[in-house]
Amino acid sequence: MSTLTGLGPLIRFALRRDRVFLPVWVLSLVGITYATANAVASTYNTPAEIQAYAANLGTSPATIAMAGPPVALEQIGGILIYETSMTALLGTALMSVFLVVRHTRSEEEAGRTELLSSTVVAPQAGPVAALVVALAAGVLVGLGVTWSLLSVDSATGPALLFGAAVAAMGWVFAGVALVAAQLTTHARGSIGIGLAALGVAFGLRAVGDTSETFWSWLSPMGWSQQVRVFDDNRWWPLLLSVALTALLFAAAAVLSRRRDLGAGIVQPRPGPASARSALCTPLGLAWRLQRASILGWTVGILVTGLMFGSVTEEMRKMVEDNPTLAAYFERIAGASLVDAFFSTAMLIMGILAAGFAVASALRMRAEETSGRLEPVLSTGVSRSRWYAASAAVTLVGTVLAVAAGGLGVGIAYAAVSGDGSAVWRLTGYVLVYLPAVLVLVGVALLLVGWVPRAAAAAWAALAVCFVVGWLGGILSFPSWFENLSPFTHTPAVPAEELTAGPLLVIAAVAAAAAGLGLAGFLRRDVGRA
């Protein structure tokens, strides 16, 4: 039997399973890049506006930390890359991590890899199939990003280089995910390692770019940005990405031969002989399962808020120099530039927190499909009690995640402005978006209760909210599309006056959706597809 026997059928099987997952990721990344590129091209359409952008954002350490090195900002092409590269790079890396772990460690954890190994399928065929699909997905995103730049009349060579840089980022993190799958026993641990590696790559790149030191050359994200599109247009930094990808593939192959099927190189620590009293309750167990996720999301959103708050002064100067951008930020009549910027920042913080909220709510479905829920319900724990405990932990985590965004913006703004009262004021502003975030929780719980197979569609609802919130002011979507987002109906404080009526209606919708989800969960069979 060849070492790759069964590779073709496994690739087709992976594509069959990902017939929704892959198109959503690829089209979302390409669509966001396309929309952003066209919006940027129409916003900065005069030499004066381009110069104002370069003079304000191109010299801000905070924006450089978030967006990358300020390359070729004296031309529209450089601004396009500056505005779109981070979303494309981070999104492609995340797609690769989730994709590879889904088809390697998750398959082992579920027992399907062992079942396939009992047939005429080579042990290495599964990981190689996952890599082939992940590498192809990276190429598709790269081609889509290239097309997005060409749609705004960018030169072909720089557009191809940027697409290759995005694809290379995805390839590297496909390798990272494959190594992580060999190290841990559970898919959650593998994804955690992949996300931690992405965070380190982002941090090294941010430190190197802001200080103009060698640190960015230690990051694969830095390599993808050091191609200097629309400036030097150099391809050779991508050779570092290709070399690291090959090295990671080789390391994963070596590690896979040193472990048993279903096990990881790093064995989990044995738990204590007896559980603490808190773990004997559904609430304590739900908290234990999600505490690491809550901490990670809260810290990440706090850091993002710090970055937003730190660029307030630069944004104020840039908006004053660009009437088109000023019109975007002041789309709410009577709002000052700073208040309009804060309202936009609060909206983004709320949408980011909604990412945690949806993931936390869908954890209930994961417990069910993994078979861990049935043993819990076989004890004296009722379905409604388990559901309420899981929902309560999601609620607490969501409040912490939402508040962390406003707290971060407030701390950073207080540091640059000297206004200490901004910390609590901005934290209060962001909590206005809590009911809208809870609507997405309700949507997820409703799907888990009544249509569990389609539970992942809650991510599509979040994507709609993100697109409307991030790009709606520039792209002018139809009103019916914007009204699909609960964030559209939330008062845009501090630019708008706070009114309780819409918030109470949104909160009632969230509560009704969660209640209907419970009704569906009580009626159906546990484990139903």
Side-chain angles (χ1 to χ4, degrees), residues 290 357-366 368 386-395 398 437-459 461 509-522 524:
Q290 296 209 50
V358 171
S360 178
L362 294 181
R363 182 64 181 268
M364 298 170 65
R365 178 60 178 166
E368 183 180 0
W386 178 83
Y387 183 98
S390 299
V393 170
T394 296
L395 175 61
T398 300
V437 176
L438 293 180
V439 167
L440 292 175
V441 173
V443 169
L445 295 179
L446 187 65
L447 292 171
V448 168
W450 290 95
V451 197
R453 171 176 285 183
W459 290 111
V509 170
L516 288 173
L518 172 60
F521 181 69
L522 295 177
R524 68 174 176 82

Side-chain angles (χ1 to χ4, degrees), residues 285-344:
L285 177 60
W287 174 258
R288 176 64 181 82
L289 290 174
Q290 296 209 50
R291 66 182 184 183
S293 177
I294 291 173
L295 177 62
W297 276 91
T298 301
V299 171
I301 293 173
L302 176 66
V303 172
T304 305
L306 290 171
M307 292 182 176
F308 266 94
S310 64
V311 302
T312 306
E313 290 301 309
E314 287 84 359
M315 287 299 300
R316 181 182 61 80
K317 295 176 183 177
M318 186 187 69
V319 169
E320 289 176 348
D321 293 335
N322 188 333
T324 304
L325 200 59
Y328 165 63
F329 277 113
E330 294 187 275
R331 64 186 182 276
I332 304 169
S336 68
L337 295 179
V338 173
D339 284 348
F341 174 71
F342 278 147
S343 66
T344 302

Side-chain angles (χ1 to χ4, degrees), residues 260-274:
D260 294 329
L261 184 64
I265 297 294
V266 179
Q267 293 296 317
R269 294 182 305 169
S274 58

Side-chain angles (χ1 to χ4, degrees), residues 218-240:
L218 301 179
S219 166
M221 183 178 292
W223 302 338
S224 287
Q225 293 190 318
Q226 287 298 331
V227 295
R228 301 180 69 86
V229 183
F230 291 105
D231 186 30
D232 296 336
N233 291 322
R234 52 194 188 189
W235 287 80
W236 65 264
L238 298 184
L239 295 177
L240 298 174

Side-chain angles (χ1 to χ4, degrees), residues 97-367:
V97 169
F98 293 141
L99 184 62
V100 172
V101 173
R102 172 182 170 88
H103 290 295
T104 54
R105 175 50 60 185
S106 293
E107 292 295 283
E108 287 192 44
E109 192 174 352
R112 287 187 287 267
T113 299
E114 186 174 4
L115 181 64
L116 287 173
S117 298
S118 66
T119 65
V120 187
V121 173
Q124 299 299 324
V128 172
L131 284 177
V132 170
V133 174
L135 297 182
V139 171
L140 284 177
V141 174
L143 292 174
V145 166
T146 299
W147 168 77
S148 298
L149 292 189
L150 292 176
S151 69
V152 291
D153 298 325
S154 294
T156 303
L160 286 172
L161 177 57
F162 181 53
V166 171
M169 182 73 173
W171 286 16
V172 169
F173 279 88
V176 169
L178 189 62
V179 171
Q182 315 308 314
L183 297 177
T184 66
T185 305
H186 300 291
R188 293 195 308 274
S190 301
I191 291 175
I193 292 174
L195 297 182
L198 183 57
V200 170
F202 181 89
L204 289 172
R205 195 254 346 133
V207 171
D209 289 342
T210 53
S211 61
E212 297 184 356
T213 58
F214 71 96
W215 290 103
S216 58
W217 287 100
L218 301 179
S219 166
M221 183 178 292
W223 302 338
S224 287
Q225 293 190 318
Q226 287 298 331
V227 295
R228 301 180 69 86
V229 183
F230 291 105
D231 186 30
D232 296 336
N233 291 322
R234 52 194 188 189
W235 287 80
W236 65 264
L238 298 184
L239 295 177
L240 298 174
S241 298
V242 174
L244 179 59
T245 301
L247 182 62
L248 290 169
F249 291 174
V254 172
L255 292 174
S256 67
R257 292 193 290 267
R258 295 178 177 271
R259 65 179 182 87
D260 294 329
L261 184 64
I265 297 294
V266 179
Q267 293 296 317
R269 294 182 305 169
S274 58
R276 291 179 296 176
S277 58
L279 286 177
C280 297
T281 66
L283 184 61
L285 177 60
W287 174 258
R288 176 64 181 82
L289 290 174
Q290 296 209 50
R291 66 182 184 183
S293 177
I294 291 173
L295 177 62
W297 276 91
T298 301
V299 171
I301 293 173
L302 176 66
V303 172
T304 305
L306 290 171
M307 292 182 176
F308 266 94
S310 64
V311 302
T312 306
E313 290 301 309
E314 287 84 359
M315 287 299 300
R316 181 182 61 80
K317 295 176 183 177
M318 186 187 69
V319 169
E320 289 176 348
D321 293 335
N322 188 333
T324 304
L325 200 59
Y328 165 63
F329 277 113
E330 294 187 275
R331 64 186 182 276
I332 304 169
S336 68
L337 295 179
V338 173
D339 284 348
F341 174 71
F342 278 147
S343 66
T344 302
M346 296 301 104
L347 172 63
I348 298 304
M349 294 300 102
I351 292 175
L352 289 176
F356 160 79
V358 171
S360 178
L362 294 181
R363 182 64 181 268
M364 298 170 65
R365 178 60 178 166
E367 291 297 299

